[in-house]
Amino acid sequence: MTRESTTSSWWFLLPCVVGALGLFCARQAGDGSPSFYALTVFTACVYAAGWRFWGSRDAFAGPRAVPQTARGVLLGAALAVVFFAGALVVARIPFLAGPVAELLDTPNQGGLAPTLAVLVINGIGEELVYRDMVPRQLRARLRTDGASAEVKVGALSVGLYCLVTIAMGVPLLVFAAGVLGAVCYYEASRSHRLYSSIAVHLTWSITMLLVMPLFFAA
């Protein structure tokens, strides 16, 4: 089967489905357990394989990689500050705070280094899929141009990202996926590259991992 023959099919959604299953099984295996890390790496590999087949190498082509990355770092840091402000409220709501605190405790269960490693590789994998592969394939199928089409592609891509995040079993993580996904999608759509969106994602995620537990300390 050639890439041309898959233009009208929806097989590109398969990595998203398998990725959701991988994330669900990882959480069920226990945060910080060997199976948790193995299944998270598996999910990242699925994303990378899907992007290799349905994505585009142009996502990393062209000049201005350093300025775009720096812009993403700044945006990711600013987004983290916004979430810290929200954490001051969420930490007082047990229903919402409990699942978040449990997930943030992963480094204490399995170690900071492996947790940080899977956070980075899975974050990159998510950007490859939900900010390049999925939008690119949706544009080919919608066959419409203009700002309204781009908004529709963005809404569908971010919506799919949120649906997959539900597999993690943390309600606020789904909300975070919507906000993070929208910002990262805008950056990818604006630049037609993934430098900024990956930088946003990783800066936000790493800051959440290292700083957010302070807001949920008993």
Side-chain angles (χ1 to χ4, degrees):
M1 180 180 292
T2 64
R3 293 195 182 191
E4 288 76 9
S5 66
T6 63
T7 301
S8 59
S9 71
W10 293 87
W11 283 105
F12 73 94
L13 293 175
L14 183 61
C16 304
V17 175
V18 178
L21 180 61
L23 292 176
F24 175 79
C25 291
R27 286 306 310 282
Q28 295 303 306
D31 298 334
S33 67
S35 295
F36 172 85
Y37 294 115
L39 287 164
T40 306
V41 171
F42 165 77
T43 301
C45 291
V46 168
Y47 285 155
W51 177 79
R52 182 173 177 80
F53 189 78
W54 285 290
S56 173
R57 309 307 170 270
D58 290 342
F60 295 100
R64 297 183 57 79
V66 173
Q68 291 296 329
T69 301
R71 173 188 168 96
V73 170
L74 291 175
L75 285 174
L79 190 61
V81 171
V82 174
F83 273 79
F84 293 152
L88 294 174
V89 177
V90 172
R92 301 175 184 276
I93 307 174
F95 169 74
L96 296 175
V100 175
E102 182 179 329
L103 184 62
L104 290 173
D105 193 51
T106 300
N108 294 328
Q109 303 299 322
L112 178 60
T115 303
L116 188 59
V118 297
L119 182 77
V120 169
I121 63 172
N122 202 60
I124 294 174
E126 289 177 354
E127 291 304 306
L128 293 175
V129 168
Y130 299 104
R131 255 60 81 185
D132 181 69
M133 185 195 84
V134 169
R136 192 175 297 275
Q137 294 299 320
L138 287 176
R139 291 186 191 104
R141 285 155 180 78
L142 292 176
R143 300 182 184 281
T144 55
D145 299 318
S148 61
E150 192 62 26
V151 170
K152 185 176 182 179
V153 169
L156 290 173
S157 300
V158 174
L160 178 61
Y161 184 48
C162 291
L163 283 175
V164 171
T165 305
I166 292 175
M168 295 291 290
V170 182
L172 277 181
L173 198 58
V174 180
F175 170 77
V179 177
L180 178 66
V183 173
C184 289
Y185 177 81
Y186 172 79
E187 286 299 289
S189 177
R190 176 192 59 81
S191 65
H192 305 290
R193 301 290 184 269
L194 290 180
Y195 297 119
S196 182
S197 69
I198 288 177
V200 171
H201 193 136
L202 295 187
T203 301
W204 179 85
S205 297
I206 293 172
T207 306
M208 291 296 102
L209 178 68
L210 299 179
V211 180
M212 188 64 83
L214 299 176
F215 291 85
F216 294 88

